[in-house]
Amino acid sequence: MVGTDTSTALDKKFEYIIVGSGAGGGTLAARLAEAGATVLLIEAGGDPRTLKGGDPAYPGENRLPDDYDVPVMHPFASENTGMRWDFFVRHYSSRKLQERDPKFVPEEDGVLYPRAGTLGGCTAHNAQIFVYPHNADWDGIAELTGDDSWNHDNMRKIFERMENCHHRFFLYRWLAKLGWNPTRHGWKGWLRTEKAIPLEALGDKGLVSTIFDSAVKAIKAQPNREEGLDWTIEGQGDPNDWRLVRKNATGVRYPPLSNRNHQRIGTRERVLEVQARYPDRLTILLDTLVTRVLFDEHNQAIGVEVMQGERLYRAAYNPVESEPPRRQFLCSREVILSGGAFNTPQLLMLSGIGPKEHLEEHGIPVRVDLPGVGRNMQDRYEVGVVNQMNTDWEVLKGAKFAAGDPQYNEWKKRRGGVYTTNGAVLAVIKRSLPERPLPDLFCFGLLGLFRGYFPGYSALFPAHLDYLTWAILKAHTVNTAGSVTLRSADPRDRPQIEFRYFEEGNDDNGADLDSVVAGIKFVRTMTAPLKRLGLIVKEHLPGEQMQSDEALRQFVRDNAWGHHASCTCPIGPRDQFGVLASDFTVHGVRGLRVVDASVFPRIPGFFIVSAVYMIGEKAADVILRQSGRA
């Protein structure tokens, strides 16, 4: 069953209730159902391919399912009224510091942080970049917990089981069938990964070649440059090749995408395909907002309380104000929360699990005093070096980013052209500074003007076809001072979200800030040849006037953003502000787990969605083994 009607769901008996259908929850639900378990998967939004909604670039028009399907449309998906959840976060607790950010929205007292309230969660609007984490990310959890199942070799096996790689030479797939798999890609999994069209097919051949050549020259000028160039050749530009992953390789890369036939694929497709095969095992309930977890007298989670209806959560576009009656759904084994880094700690606190004083402040009876809930929030830092070109991109000539334009027709009819990309044409992985223990910068070139998230940001793309943005993503951030707290005990309210960037956080030595500044300076070495040739006519951001390190530091403080919030319910010992055991169970209660981006003690890799998919698979292994089904 897929839908909002509760009658069928009320009549059924479930072993597991999973709250949230994103990369963690959707992956877990599908795997449990395949193994024979009965699962109720609850999602607060609707199906993105059947919903209707417009966006700021085309108000009043129904843009679904194209905003969902077409890889390049992801900015429009994040602002599509049919499925968007708008959070407004504080980068700084200090209002004075926060107001310096041009993206700050005074009436919302924060900066836009797009999330997706829809089947598939944020896999429905993300940029689809699928980059494997560093091995040290997994080994760190194994060391912290003493649970060797988290080590990097075991986690790679999970990755191989999940992936269906279609972006490497077919010979590798054939060799894997014979038992030799040097890349350690997966070739038979449910999550298909692809590469967009080759660079040479984009048009603008002279310009694209210049961008590529400048990137290679910039890498060769870096410390350990021979390693970076050799690794680029060995891995053929693939950031997920095991031979590169195990060496923490740097160099020029292409961004693999979670696409099937150059169309978005995520947990929506996964759960619907499994539900079609096993309708008696997997029930999907849409437009259903979970308000709290239910427990028995032994602190065993036995179900959830819900409200049903469209746009009940106040992050949704045009939320409804009427409040429907509350219902309960029960399960015989476990409740699993997969609402993400913002909503999972909120739901735990609404259920009486969290910091005692904070819960009492909102009149919530304390079930478990667990101070780590909502703490330890981490994110990437990102900035854009935005350049105006001397002409529109040839490949975007006539582009409206809408059905009927030439590029859309090429995608629709032949699955070709620039709309098979997510807008990124090239990426560079490197260490920001030689002393960094792991590569921590992912710099990628975007055909368009992108300076972060603010209401209406997606409308800039069709309006500016002559821009090149180098987005700089700083991974392995030091700052862990962010938090998610309740505004009220009303489950429909958005929580208070504060990241406490840079000096306001706990990065006492300024390592994060120095790394982002180093990223800007590196990107400028790549854009300098284009300026000398007259291909770039102006650097809009940071701007030519920003040259000194201190000027660039201030630019980063004022303009940085993120979109990989995580770590708010971390695995770790309870006396060290951990919330979960290594098997995802919540400390102090029974029958309750968390499986989403909030579980990580430290934020992993570059783009966390690959890691979240993987923990969904790992949680399924743990649950099936503990239940005797493995």
Side-chain angles (χ1 to χ4, degrees):
M1 185 195 79
V2 182
T4 58
D5 178 30
T6 60
S7 57
T8 304
L10 284 170
D11 293 338
K12 295 183 70 172
K13 296 184 183 299
F14 302 101
E15 294 172 278
Y16 300 95
I17 293 177
I18 299 176
V19 182
S21 63
T27 299
L28 174 60
R31 190 66 76 183
L32 292 180
E34 284 181 327
T38 53
V39 181
L40 174 61
L41 178 62
I42 300 178
E43 169 56 51
D47 183 338
R49 297 203 79 253
T50 60
L51 289 167
K52 294 183 178 180
D55 57 51
Y58 299 95
E61 297 183 22
N62 177 34
R63 296 263 306 182
L64 290 170
D66 286 336
D67 278 356
Y68 176 82
D69 287 341
V70 185
V72 83
M73 302 290 197
H74 62 89
F76 309 94
S78 70
E79 292 204 278
N80 190 287
T81 58
M83 58 184 185
R84 81 187 202 205
W85 274 12
D86 291 346
F87 290 88
F88 288 87
V89 308
R90 292 293 291 268
H91 293 163
Y92 299 98
S93 300
S94 163
R95 176 86 181 208
K96 182 179 180 181
L97 291 177
Q98 186 61 84
E99 287 179 339
R100 293 180 59 90
D101 190 335
K103 301 183 295 298
F104 178 63
V105 180
E107 56 269 30
E108 296 284 358
D109 194 34
V111 177
L112 176 64
Y113 204 108
R115 301 282 86 182
T118 192
L119 185 61
C122 289
T123 72
H125 78 183
N126 69 358
Q128 305 135 86
I129 298 177
F130 191 77
V131 176
Y132 192 77
H134 289 106
N135 285 340
D137 296 322
W138 303 123
D139 290 341
I141 301 177
E143 182 178 352
L144 174 69
T145 62
D147 181 350
D148 201 46
S149 70
W150 282 97
N151 72 57
H152 70 264
D153 187 61
N154 187 60
M155 294 305 293
R156 186 69 182 200
K157 292 175 184 175
I158 289 174
F159 173 84
E160 291 177 61
R161 180 181 73 199
M162 174 182 72
E163 187 191 25
N164 186 351
C165 177
H166 280 260
H167 58 85
R168 294 302 299 269
F169 185 51
F170 75 91
L171 180 61
Y172 284 112
R173 181 181 290 269
W174 183 75
L175 290 172
K177 291 181 179 179
L178 298 178
W180 188 53
N181 189 15
T183 69
R184 289 197 70 177
H185 275 292
W187 307 101
K188 298 184 294 184
W190 65 269
L191 184 61
R192 180 159 166 160
T193 57
E194 299 178 342
K195 178 170 63 173
I197 59 174
L199 286 176
E200 59 268 20
L202 279 174
D204 300 290
K205 291 183 180 179
L207 181 54
V208 170
S209 295
T210 301
I211 293 172
F212 180 80
D213 291 344
S214 66
V216 171
K217 289 176 182 176
I219 278 290
K220 290 176 68 176
Q222 298 297 304
N224 301 320
R225 58 188 179 276
E226 294 86 7
E227 289 181 344
L229 188 58
D230 289 347
W231 291 343
T232 297
I233 295 170
E234 181 178 23
Q236 299 174 314
D238 172 14
N240 299 333
D241 189 306
W242 179 248
R243 295 167 295 183
L244 276 62
V245 169
R246 68 184 182 185
K247 297 176 183 177
N248 297 320
T250 57
V252 179
R253 301 286 185 268
Y254 61 81
L257 304 180
S258 51
N259 285 178
R260 183 164 60 194
N261 191 25
H262 298 301
Q263 179 173 319
R264 178 188 296 275
I265 180 176
T267 48
R268 175 198 176 273
E269 288 66 38
R270 172 66 167 150
V271 297
L272 289 179
E273 288 165 8
V274 170
Q275 198 270 343
R277 296 202 309 269
Y278 306 107
D280 293 334
R281 299 182 191 172
L282 179 56
T283 298
I284 303 170
L285 204 54
L286 303 178
D287 296 317
T288 302
L289 180 69
V290 175
T291 59
R292 65 186 175 105
V293 180
L294 303 173
F295 295 88
D296 65 14
E297 64 274 15
H298 304 294
N299 258 8
Q300 168 82 31
I302 59 171
V304 294
E305 178 186 81
V306 307
M307 291 189 288
Q308 288 200 284
E310 296 180 3
R311 303 189 310 280
L312 291 174
Y313 194 60
R314 294 193 176 103
Y317 174 77
N318 194 23
V320 300
E321 288 305 319
S322 59
E323 184 161 319
R326 303 192 184 194
R327 296 187 172 95
Q328 295 183 352
F329 291 97
L330 303 181
C331 58
S332 60
R333 287 187 179 271
E334 296 182 9
V335 174
I336 299 134
L337 304 184
S338 300
F342 299 157
N343 292 105
T344 288
Q346 180 184 20
L347 190 50
L348 283 174
M349 288 186 280
L350 291 171
S351 305
I353 302 171
K356 180 175 183 289
E357 292 184 2
H358 184 58
L359 300 184
E360 290 176 340
E361 176 187 345
H362 292 285
I364 298 172
V366 178
R367 181 170 297 277
V368 180
D369 180 14
L370 204 54
V373 173
R375 293 180 52 151
N376 190 53
M377 184 166 65
Q378 298 164 48
D379 204 345
R380 313 287 179 228
Y381 291 117
E382 298 186 46
V383 295
V385 176
V386 179
N387 297 279
Q388 186 173 10
M389 313 302 288
N390 65 356
T391 186
D392 289 356
W393 290 94
E394 177 188 330
V395 73
L396 292 177
K397 185 177 181 180
K400 303 295 183 183
F401 294 89
D405 74 17
Q407 293 80 2
Y408 176 88
N409 290 337
E410 187 175 6
W411 174 85
K412 188 75 172 179
K413 295 175 182 177
R414 292 183 291 276
R415 286 299 193 267
V418 70
Y419 284 11
T420 67
T421 77
N422 65 352
V425 294
L426 189 69
V428 176
I429 293 174
K430 70 180 297 291
R431 284 176 170 82
S432 58
L433 297 167
E435 61 267 27
R436 297 293 182 251
L438 292 169
D440 61 325
L441 292 183
F442 192 96
C443 308
F444 51 108
L446 299 167
L447 306 186
L449 195 167
F450 182 54
R451 58 181 180 86
Y453 300 102
F454 55 90
Y457 85 96
S458 61
L460 296 179
F461 287 89
H464 299 279
L465 304 179
D466 57 344
Y467 276 77
L468 170 67
T469 298
W470 274 98
I472 300 163
L473 183 150
K474 158 61 183 163
H476 301 295
T477 45
V478 176
N479 187 19
T480 63
S483 66
V484 176
T485 55
L486 298 177
R487 294 180 189 270
S488 76
D490 187 341
R492 299 173 66 182
D493 279 347
R494 296 171 292 189
Q496 179 72 21
I497 302 163
E498 301 195 15
F499 284 95
R500 301 183 179 90
Y501 275 11
F502 302 114
E503 291 93 341
E504 198 177 76
N506 57 4
D507 176 16
D508 298 329
N509 297 320
D512 289 338
L513 191 56
D514 289 345
S515 290
V516 181
V517 169
I520 294 173
K521 294 163 77 172
F522 169 74
V523 162
R524 281 176 163 175
T525 68
M526 292 193 289
T527 57
L530 281 73
K531 292 178 182 177
R532 289 194 295 270
L533 293 170
L535 300 172
I536 288 177
V537 296
K538 183 178 181 179
E539 180 186 279
H540 281 263
L541 292 173
E544 298 292 350
Q545 74 280 9
M546 298 280 187
Q547 293 296 328
S548 70
D549 283 2
E550 188 47 49
L552 291 175
R553 287 190 190 99
Q554 193 59 54
F555 167 79
V556 173
R557 291 185 188 102
D558 295 345
N559 290 272
W561 71 88
H563 65 290
H564 295 139
S566 54
C567 307
T568 50
C569 300
I571 292 170
R574 189 171 177 177
D575 60 1
Q576 297 178 30
F577 297 101
V579 175
L580 310 174
S582 68
D583 63 356
F584 305 95
T585 54
V586 177
H587 293 313
V589 294
R590 300 167 56 196
L592 181 63
R593 300 188 206 240
V594 172
V595 182
D596 59 26
S598 67
V599 310
F600 301 107
R602 298 305 303 262
I603 186 169
F606 293 112
F607 296 85
I608 66 170
V609 68
S610 62
V612 181
Y613 279 128
M614 291 170 68
I615 61 137
E617 292 283 349
K618 186 181 194 309
D621 287 350
V622 171
I623 293 169
L624 293 172
R625 184 177 67 252
Q626 291 180 354
S627 68
R629 277 197 169 96

